[in-house]
Amino acid sequence: MKYSGWPDPSELVVGKVDEIADFGVFVDLSEYEDKRGLVHISEVASGWIKNVRDHVSVGQTVVAKVLEVDEGSQQIDLSLKDVNDHQRSETVREWKSEQKADNWMTIAFGEDIADEQYATVANEFLAEFGSLYAGFEEAAIRGTDALADTDLSDDEIDAIVETARENVSVPYVTVAGYVDLTSSDSTGVDVIREALHAAEGNGDLPDEVELDVTYVGSPEYRIRVQAPDYKTAESELEASADRAAAHIADHGGSAEFHRERRSDDE
């Protein structure tokens, strides 16, 4: 996907060096349609430069900072020296992610997707998630719920979710805690079994969350949660322990949640 507008001053852009002159470097901007910028020799690198070709080569992919944009004269002034290593690596990473997302759009809607449809979907993603890649990532994690607030059609949403779940590698985190369950009720075994089922969510967990409860050693049980981020994982872990505690308390038992294992072996 290429933007049809102009970059903003101070924006970091990815481009390819397509011409080198004694006075500077011309860069074709990869993210913008028909846009080319100039890096003056003074902005190529810090210090005195004898030969620009000692620092860049034709065909090289670079990250530049936009210094000034003059739409009237169709001129974009860029700097290479004002970009540090961290900015460079993060910008390239994000650019590569958007290239992946652009390919997923083709998978979802076909190579002959109309420009109008592409723009509609892309604009919805940019407004809702900030980027195409983030939109596909959310679709992979949360399914159709992630796109519920967009104006996309059901068919478009289904195509996006199917493509996302087949192609997006979603990062997950895992947290664990332990709950001690005791019951003096005559049906204590059944009460604890029901409490464990409640801890597992009674089949009603978000699609992006995996949760399991395993026996460690009487009266201790481990709750393990896998989720897309720590906030969600910790929230679901706490909710799981609370469900077990509430059920056991309703039947005269007791529960205690703790983060470290107490039994000698699992």
Side-chain angles (χ1 to χ4, degrees):
M1 181 184 72
K2 288 195 174 186
Y3 300 111
S4 58
W6 293 81
D8 295 320
S10 298
E11 182 179 339
L12 297 180
V13 293
V14 177
K16 182 170 288 188
V17 175
D18 65 359
E19 184 182 348
I20 298 176
D22 291 339
F23 58 84
V25 178
F26 289 96
V27 178
D28 179 47
L29 302 188
S30 302
E31 300 161 289
Y32 288 87
E33 196 172 65
D34 301 323
K35 297 298 185 294
R36 193 183 192 221
L38 171 65
V39 182
H40 187 267
I41 187 171
S42 63
E43 294 295 335
V44 171
S46 299
W48 182 74
I49 296 177
K50 180 179 181 181
N51 189 337
V52 177
R53 290 172 178 80
D54 291 337
H55 299 272
V56 293
S57 57
V58 173
Q60 179 182 348
T61 297
V62 296
V63 176
K65 182 179 180 179
V66 178
L67 298 178
E68 188 175 349
V69 176
D70 188 336
E71 297 183 27
S73 61
Q74 301 282 297
Q75 184 170 329
I76 302 172
D77 294 330
L78 305 171
S79 173
L80 296 179
K81 73 177 185 181
D82 285 353
V83 181
N84 61 41
D85 290 341
H86 175 72
Q87 291 172 322
R88 187 177 297 108
S89 61
E90 280 298 298
T91 302
V92 169
R93 182 188 62 79
E94 292 173 0
W95 173 63
K96 288 182 177 180
S97 293
E98 289 303 281
Q99 287 184 309
K100 288 182 181 179
D102 182 68
N103 183 54
W104 295 334
M105 288 283 283
T106 301
I107 295 174
F109 300 107
E111 293 185 2
D112 59 346
I113 178 175
D115 291 344
E116 294 80 4
Q117 184 182 23
Y118 190 110
T120 296
V121 176
N123 287 334
E124 287 289 333
F125 271 34
L126 292 174
E128 189 72 21
F129 308 107
S131 71
L132 274 179
Y133 185 87
F136 274 101
E137 190 172 57
E138 284 296 311
I141 294 170
R142 297 168 50 211
T144 57
D145 288 346
L147 306 174
D149 292 334
T150 68
D151 290 330
L152 300 176
S153 69
D154 290 343
D155 288 344
E156 288 173 329
I157 290 174
D158 289 342
I160 290 166
V161 171
E162 180 180 355
T163 300
R165 288 189 161 166
E166 290 180 355
N167 293 278
V168 181
S169 297
V170 179
Y172 278 86
V173 299
T174 302
V175 298
Y178 299 82
V179 62
D180 296 346
L181 302 176
T182 57
S183 175
S184 57
D185 192 278
S186 59
T187 59
V189 173
D190 291 333
V191 170
I192 290 177
R193 184 182 298 113
E194 292 166 358
L196 295 175
H197 188 61
E200 291 175 337
N202 295 310
D204 187 25
L205 290 173
D207 290 342
E208 69 269 24
V209 173
E210 292 185 12
L211 186 153
D212 60 74
V213 183
T214 55
Y215 175 73
V216 176
S218 183
E220 190 175 18
Y221 298 84
R222 183 182 69 172
I223 304 172
R224 176 183 172 275
V225 179
Q226 187 179 70
D229 55 78
Y230 279 106
K231 182 178 180 180
T232 301
E234 290 289 347
S235 176
E236 291 295 335
L237 176 62
E238 182 180 345
S240 173
D242 287 345
R243 289 192 297 268
H247 184 86
I248 206 85
D250 287 344
H251 294 79
S254 63
E256 181 187 357
F257 176 73
H258 50 95
R259 297 307 296 258
E260 299 300 324
R261 175 183 163 198
R262 291 173 179 170
S263 299
D264 291 335
D265 48 56
E266 295 193 27

